[in-house]
Amino acid sequence: MSNNIIDAKLLAKMFLSGAKNLEAKKEWINELNVFPVPDGDTGTNMTMTIMSAAKEVSNLGDNASMEAICKAISSGSLRGARGNSGVILSQLLRGFTKVVKQHDEVDVAILAEAFDKAVETAYKAVMKPKEGTILTVAKGAGEKAHELAVEGTTDITYFCDEVIKYAEEVLAKTPEMLPVLKQAGVVDSGGQGLVQVLKGAFDGFLGKEIDLSITEEQVTPGARAKESAQEEVDIKFGYCTEFIVLLNKPLNVKQEIDFKGFLESIGDSIVLVADDEICKVHVHSNDPGLAIQRALMYGQLSNMKIDNMRMEHREKLFHENKDGSWAEIETEINGAAELTPTYEPNDENIPLAGKVDSSAVSENKSDAKAETVTEAKENAKVDTAAAKEPETKDEAPAPKEEPKMPRKDVGFVTVCAGAGLAEIFRGLGVDYVIEGGQTMNPSTADILDAVEKVNADTVIVLPNNKNIILAANQAAIMSEDDDSDKKIIVVPSKTVPQGVTAIINYVPDIPVDDNVAAMTEAITTVKTGEVTYAVRDTVIDDVQIKQGDFMGIGDSGILSVGTDMSDVTFDMLNKMMNDDLELISIYYGDEIKESDAQDLKDRITLKYPQCDVELQNGGQPIYYYVISAE
């Protein structure tokens, strides 16, 4: 292979090498988190984003075209994007592939143009770009690429080496651009992740020996281990069904989600990969005919294959020895990892965050607000017991079609971690709760799938985490680009208490735009504090923090540090309070005893008798207490 040209096969190898290098460094990148909290997840988010695309690329085979590879990279990363860093990485890949897909072979000039487009696309995707981040590192790499192309460089080896060196120089300067990085003694974690992708891709170009296989654990960590344990005991769905649909016309995103949702309702181990002409399907089911009948809605079938896995399992699990005895042998049931449907957005670079005109809110809207979470739950008259999980694992229900409620004008999707918090949101009228938040940000595809399950014309999404807002906005844009029959509106709640306040401020009898404006305005009145522990020694805002210390983190930074959890929580709240605040809500986590939480409530009530103080079992992990004041 010439050092001046990259063809489709080499591009795929470089991309997979970059993904694997990022995956190998993800824990190191997680540790670069500025705050020493146990939920640093930049490396995890970026890895899961790029691995979603890597899975699609690896499934294309060795003879895929440049356009097919670029489509897999773009669509896989867009749908798999998690967290702010993951969304920005997906936009960089989207912009890069827009240029590359137009060529069968790529040289330095095309690479430089692709770098420019990547940076342009990513910056447009963020409403308020901040320097000293992954964006700055990407911009530096793009500037160097452009400079080398203008100088007439043609050797890609030299080009890549110089671009990576300059990206590392820019990364090293990020602490000078963001004082919080300098004080914590770290470089930007997202920028470091991008550099590792570039380094891995360069290793692939140089022909270094790299394991390019993509496992299910790398796409959805932990899922495969649970599946394997089940396979050793029982095969829930007996027929491995595979076929190709020769499409009458390309599937849109809604059709792909509907098709995939149907397959999930009749089986597991779903693969659904589509392009403009064909759709490849794999499902484990007890009734292959149902999958076939559904597929015939979209076109003709080809390459059909149905295997009885129970029979194969019995044949593979045991073999007869020459002496007539039976010996158990190791086996692995042939399965397939679940893939998200492919999607190619249009060429419009639409900013991911929109503006809301709060002036549209009528003056009397505030009268409709419930005074407390408890009152709102009582007014909702919802039997929350029905929403509880089965008490034993053996009773876990198989996937099934839920009875559809009548279509309504507005529905709600929210994100939270903790059974108690989920129950609170359901009691307040939320239709679908995505389990996630800190440590596990849901992907764009997760949000789209949740929205699809809500039978409403407009679905309001409450991210409840600043690191999920970009993915939610990306889901809204993808839905709009696909001309979906649902409109997604994101109310940018950054914390769970903000999400609770937003839903309480929703008034069914007024226009949706007025509601969104009221909800968006209401969340600005909420102060949130969260209590967790430090995972390393550091100094932030001139506060000395030791590993194992409890930390109270407010909206703008660390408010309290100490060795006594109750004192840290109390001190944090004291620094949040002012004379205008009337309601204090305490959500205690899964490691806190109710008696200890009640003692904290009594202490707070005594200090602030003018405020209503509520205590709720949130059941959230990582954070011992989440407290709001409004």
Side-chain angles (χ1 to χ4, degrees), residues 147-351:
E147 175 188 322
L148 292 167
V150 170
E151 291 175 354
T153 300
T154 60
D155 189 315
I156 292 180
T157 301
Y158 175 74
F159 171 86
C160 291
D161 189 47
E162 290 297 306
V163 166
I164 292 171
K165 285 179 180 177
Y166 191 72
E168 289 184 302
E169 289 180 22
V170 175
L171 176 65
K173 295 177 182 177
T174 55
E176 302 301 324
M177 303 176 201
L178 284 177
V180 67
L181 294 176
K182 186 173 184 178
Q183 193 168 42
V186 295
V187 296
D188 179 68
S189 54
Q192 184 66 268
L194 178 60
V195 168
Q196 297 311 313
V197 172
L198 294 175
K199 283 186 170 183
F202 188 34
D203 286 342
F205 177 81
L206 295 175
K208 293 186 178 180
E209 287 295 326
I210 301 168
D211 177 11
L212 299 180
S213 60
I214 307 296
T215 65
E216 179 64 11
E217 286 87 348
Q218 292 168 322
V219 181
T220 52
R224 188 64 187 173
K226 184 184 293 184
E227 179 182 321
S228 296
Q230 181 184 28
E231 287 167 352
E232 292 172 5
V233 178
D234 185 29
I235 298 176
K236 187 174 183 180
F237 298 103
Y239 294 95
C240 175
T241 307
E242 295 179 274
F243 53 82
I244 291 175
V245 186
L246 306 177
L247 297 172
N248 296 328
K249 60 181 181 180
L251 298 179
N252 58 38
V253 170
K254 182 180 183 303
Q255 288 173 320
E256 290 188 11
I257 291 175
D258 286 346
F259 193 5
K260 182 189 174 192
F262 175 78
L263 295 175
E264 289 173 338
S265 74
I266 65 169
D268 63 8
S269 294
I270 313 297
V271 172
L272 195 156
V273 183
D275 61 19
D276 292 342
E277 298 178 354
I278 67 170
C279 176
K280 183 176 180 180
V281 176
H282 175 286
V283 59
H284 291 176
S285 173
N286 286 328
D287 193 339
L290 294 176
I292 291 170
Q293 290 174 15
R294 184 60 173 249
L296 287 170
M297 295 171 55
Y298 306 113
Q300 301 180 52
L301 304 186
S302 175
N303 294 53
M304 298 178 64
K305 180 174 176 287
I306 301 175
D307 294 322
N308 186 327
M309 295 192 298
R310 292 189 181 97
M311 186 176 295
E312 288 184 354
H313 181 55
R314 285 192 294 268
E315 291 173 354
K316 292 180 180 180
L317 189 61
F318 297 96
H319 74 278
E320 187 173 7
N321 291 332
K322 291 181 181 180
D323 61 1
S325 63
W326 291 85
E328 186 172 356
I329 61 173
E330 293 183 358
T331 182
E332 180 176 336
I333 300 301
N334 180 28
E338 177 177 315
L339 294 182
T340 53
T342 58
Y343 172 77
E344 179 71 12
N346 64 20
D347 287 334
E348 294 298 322
N349 292 318
I350 308 172

Side-chain angles (χ1 to χ4, degrees), residues 100 258 268 285 373 391 505 556:
V100 174
D258 286 346
D268 63 8
S285 173
V373 175
E391 292 187 2
N505 275 269
S556 57

Side-chain angles (χ1 to χ4, degrees), residues 350-617:
I350 308 172
L352 289 180
K355 297 181 179 179
V356 176
D357 183 5
S358 59
S359 64
V361 187
S362 303
E363 294 181 1
N364 62 351
K365 300 297 183 294
S366 59
D367 296 336
K369 177 180 177 180
E371 292 184 359
T372 68
V373 175
T374 302
E375 290 174 9
K377 289 177 66 178
E378 291 174 353
N379 292 338
K381 298 185 184 299
V382 174
D383 181 9
T384 55
K388 293 182 179 179
E389 297 291 329
E391 292 187 2
T392 64
K393 293 182 180 179
D394 292 337
E395 297 174 4
K400 63 180 181 179
E401 294 276 2
E402 295 291 338
K404 282 202 170 185
M405 299 297 289
R407 185 85 167 184
K408 56 184 182 178
D409 293 334
V410 180
F412 295 91
V413 168
T414 194
V415 182
C416 69
L421 293 177
E423 184 177 321
I424 289 169
F425 276 115
R426 292 189 187 103
L428 293 172
V430 169
D431 300 276
Y432 194 94
V433 177
I434 302 174
E435 184 178 356
Q438 297 302 110
T439 73
M440 183 50 67
N441 300 148
S443 68
T444 299
D446 292 333
I447 297 169
L448 284 170
D449 289 345
V451 167
E452 192 58 32
K453 291 179 172 67
V454 178
N455 193 21
D457 296 325
T458 298
V459 179
I460 295 175
V461 178
L462 302 169
N464 301 337
N465 188 301
K466 64 182 180 181
N467 209 31
I468 301 175
I469 294 174
L470 278 183
N473 284 329
Q474 186 154 287
I477 290 174
M478 291 175 70
S479 178
E480 182 179 343
D481 289 346
D482 192 51
D483 295 324
S484 171
D485 61 345
K486 296 182 182 180
K487 181 180 181 181
I488 300 177
I489 299 177
V490 179
V491 173
S493 52
K494 295 180 179 179
T495 65
V496 164
Q498 285 189 354
V500 170
T501 295
I503 193 71
I504 289 175
N505 275 269
Y506 176 77
V507 181
D509 297 331
I510 68 174
V512 65
D513 289 344
D514 289 357
N515 261 311
V516 170
M519 295 165 76
T520 303
E521 184 176 4
I523 65 177
T524 64
T525 68
V526 181
K527 292 187 175 184
T528 304
E530 300 170 313
V531 179
T532 186
Y533 65 93
V535 295
R536 67 172 186 271
D537 295 350
T538 190
V539 177
I540 297 179
D541 296 333
D542 298 324
V543 177
Q544 189 76 35
I545 301 171
K546 297 292 185 182
Q547 181 178 350
D549 281 351
F550 296 107
M551 300 182 298
I553 305 174
D555 296 319
S556 57
I558 293 179
L559 300 179
S560 179
V561 176
T563 57
D564 184 279
M565 184 195 303
S566 180
D567 288 346
V568 167
T569 306
F570 191 68
D571 184 44
M572 175 190 73
L573 177 63
N574 289 337
K575 293 177 180 177
M576 292 165 54
M577 294 298 292
N578 61 47
D579 294 339
D580 296 329
L581 299 173
E582 302 172 346
L583 172 65
I584 299 171
S585 299
I586 306 167
Y587 305 90
Y588 61 93
D590 60 357
E591 296 185 32
I592 299 298
K593 295 179 180 178
E594 184 178 359
S595 58
D596 292 339
Q598 184 63 49
D599 289 344
L600 177 65
K601 176 189 175 183
D602 294 342
R603 185 178 180 185
I604 292 172
T605 301
L606 186 63
K607 175 70 180 285
Y608 299 102
Q610 77 278 13
C611 293
D612 292 325
V613 183
E614 290 189 342
L615 182 65
Q616 304 281 348
N617 180 2

